[in-house]
Amino acid sequence: MTDNPTLSHAARPGSTTPTSISLLSSGSEAELDTFLAEHAYSSMYLRSELRRSGNRPDFAVARRDGRIIAAAAQAATGMILLQVPVAAGKVARAVLKTSGRRLAGFFGPLAQVQAARHEVGLDAVPLLKDGREDLFALKLADMVMPAALAEKTITCRVAVDADFEQLVAWRAAFRQAVLGDLPGEHLLKTSRAEIAALLPAGSLFMLESQEPVSCCSFNARLPNMVQIGNVWTPPELRGLGYSRAIVAGALAIASDSGVVAATLSTDRGNAAAQASYRGLGFKEVGDYALATISPDVQLPDF
């Protein structure tokens, strides 16, 4: 199985009518991965979930004349991950009916998130976060390494168990500031669970300038490509190039294990972050959206 990402995809909901919608059957994983690879940069979460060896979510797929043309799955967080150029609502409903879990929101290309939300009848449901983001990609061979990393005045490393509490605190701060989460026990529980899942996988990274100053994670990873997420530098340490450096350092570590490409998304209004990532060599390749629903909001039956 190969993955050949390009810098020219932009999945949009279309008019093609599926002939069937069903759960992915055993033995069809390679077929689904081939479809997702056609939308490589906006399918990182789904492709990463597909490769999970345990507790893998159920995938719903739409087919036309036997060929997969749309897919979605619900992550453990309750978020529905979308690659649905067509039939967004029908595929999302199929996932929800199967999982039995509460819907926490939608994540995927902007037009698809909007279509799924509308077609399952959630236009009137208030959102914690209605994020409109630009999607960026980078071929690691083209990465511009920050001088401070090259000169080793700051260093990047894989996070270790001793970093756990620091990472939980930073993840909670990130979720409040970026994802719109509300403070409280639910936020802390979610943050601890996320760090506990990522730490053993070697998917968390720390930047140090005598002491930790920034962090990031690979929130999706394939053998040759990773998705950067949860980049966090405390407010009092911003403006020093740490966010750019943690991303570059993490990708430099990944390149040693065969990773050749990376993707990330950032809020359209975050000019500083976009400039930082463009400075590393990232190019805009599409759009993304994150629509999250408060756990206190009553949802209709699906």
Side-chain angles (χ1 to χ4, degrees), residues 122-294:
L122 295 179
D123 283 340
V125 173
L127 298 176
L128 271 179
K129 175 76 173 181
D130 186 9
R132 314 292 177 87
E133 302 184 348
D134 290 322
L135 183 64
F136 290 84
L138 170 70
K139 294 179 180 178
L140 267 56
D142 299 331
M143 184 168 65
V144 179
M145 185 63 67
L149 273 179
E151 296 166 2
K152 299 184 178 180
T153 58
I154 54 176
T155 57
C156 179
R157 60 172 174 82
V158 178
V160 296
D161 289 346
D163 299 314
F164 184 82
E165 295 300 334
Q166 177 69 82
L167 288 166
V168 169
W170 281 355
R171 179 59 60 93
F174 172 88
R175 294 191 65 90
Q176 280 190 264
V178 179
L179 304 183
D181 283 16
L182 300 176
E185 185 60 32
H186 183 268
L187 171 62
L188 182 60
K189 182 179 178 181
T190 300
S191 300
R192 294 185 74 87
E194 289 180 342
I195 298 304
L198 291 168
L199 195 58
S203 293
L204 288 162
F205 302 87
M206 299 287 277
L207 187 75
E208 293 182 323
S209 177
Q210 296 184 334
E211 61 183 23
V213 294
S214 188
C215 68
C216 76
S217 67
F218 293 159
N219 48 24
R221 62 192 305 168
L222 303 174
N224 68 339
M225 182 162 56
V226 295
Q227 180 164 296
I228 293 280
N230 308 301
V231 180
W232 181 255
T233 300
E236 67 274 14
L237 296 175
R238 292 176 188 170
L240 301 173
Y242 291 151
S243 292
R244 181 186 302 192
I246 184 62
V247 170
L251 292 178
I253 292 171
S255 68
D256 292 338
S257 61
V259 170
V260 298
T263 182
L264 58 79
S265 61
T266 185
D267 192 281
R268 288 179 172 175
N270 194 339
Q274 293 210 4
S276 177
Y277 301 141
R278 291 181 193 276
L280 290 174
F282 278 89
K283 300 180 186 298
E284 187 177 343
V285 294
D287 56 37
Y288 226 56
L290 173 67
T292 60
I293 301 168
S294 169

Side-chain angles (χ1 to χ4, degrees), residues 48-89:
S48 185
E49 289 290 319
L50 186 61
R51 283 166 166 74
R52 286 178 59 180
S53 58
N55 298 318
R56 195 186 76 188
D58 288 320
F59 285 75
V61 297
R63 294 179 182 272
R64 176 74 179 177
D65 299 328
R67 182 175 62 88
I68 294 176
I69 57 173
Q74 190 173 24
T77 59
M79 295 294 294
I80 291 195
L81 314 175
L82 300 170
Q83 190 53 257
V84 285
V86 299

